[in-house]
Amino acid sequence: MTVSKHNPSLARDIAIQNLRACYREHGIVAGNHHFNDYWARDGFFACFGALAIGDHQVIRRMLALFFAHQLPSGLLPYRVMNGPMFSLSKY
């Protein structure tokens, strides 16, 4: 499908479709085709797009996931690995 400068509505629809394809049970994964984990930086940047289109529930789930693993010092993990049990990468 070719997107031209004359159809910004089509470009917006494609962007929304691609963003929503990355929604999972606990938030937004970094890349639907290559990553199945929740990466803080990428996922929270994607939350701006979800906020813009009104998908507030996925943002709540993403925040809840990372806040559940927040250290008392305030640090959040940079990655929560998805699997039968969550595992964490470095903080």
Side-chain angles (χ1 to χ4, degrees):
M1 180 183 313
T2 304
V3 178
S4 76
K5 64 182 178 183
H6 302 291
N7 196 349
S9 177
L10 177 60
R12 182 181 188 280
D13 292 345
I14 292 170
I16 291 171
Q17 179 182 8
N18 286 335
L19 174 61
R20 287 181 173 157
C22 294
Y23 290 5
R24 296 290 183 277
E25 180 182 357
H26 299 286
I28 304 173
V29 295
N32 193 29
H33 301 290
H34 302 288
F35 301 101
N36 197 33
D37 298 333
Y38 299 98
W39 291 80
R41 183 197 65 189
D42 299 339
F44 287 122
F45 278 132
C47 283
F48 288 119
L51 183 63
I53 61 174
D55 290 348
H56 301 133
Q57 274 306 107
V58 73
I59 299 167
R60 286 185 185 97
R61 294 193 310 261
M62 186 81 169
L63 288 168
L65 174 65
F66 279 86
F67 286 159
H69 299 291
Q70 185 176 24
L71 293 179
S73 66
L75 290 176
L76 295 170
Y78 71 83
R79 177 178 166 196
V80 178
M81 291 177 268
N82 200 7
M85 294 182 60
F86 283 126
S87 59
L88 305 176
S89 288
K90 298 178 184 177
Y91 282 83

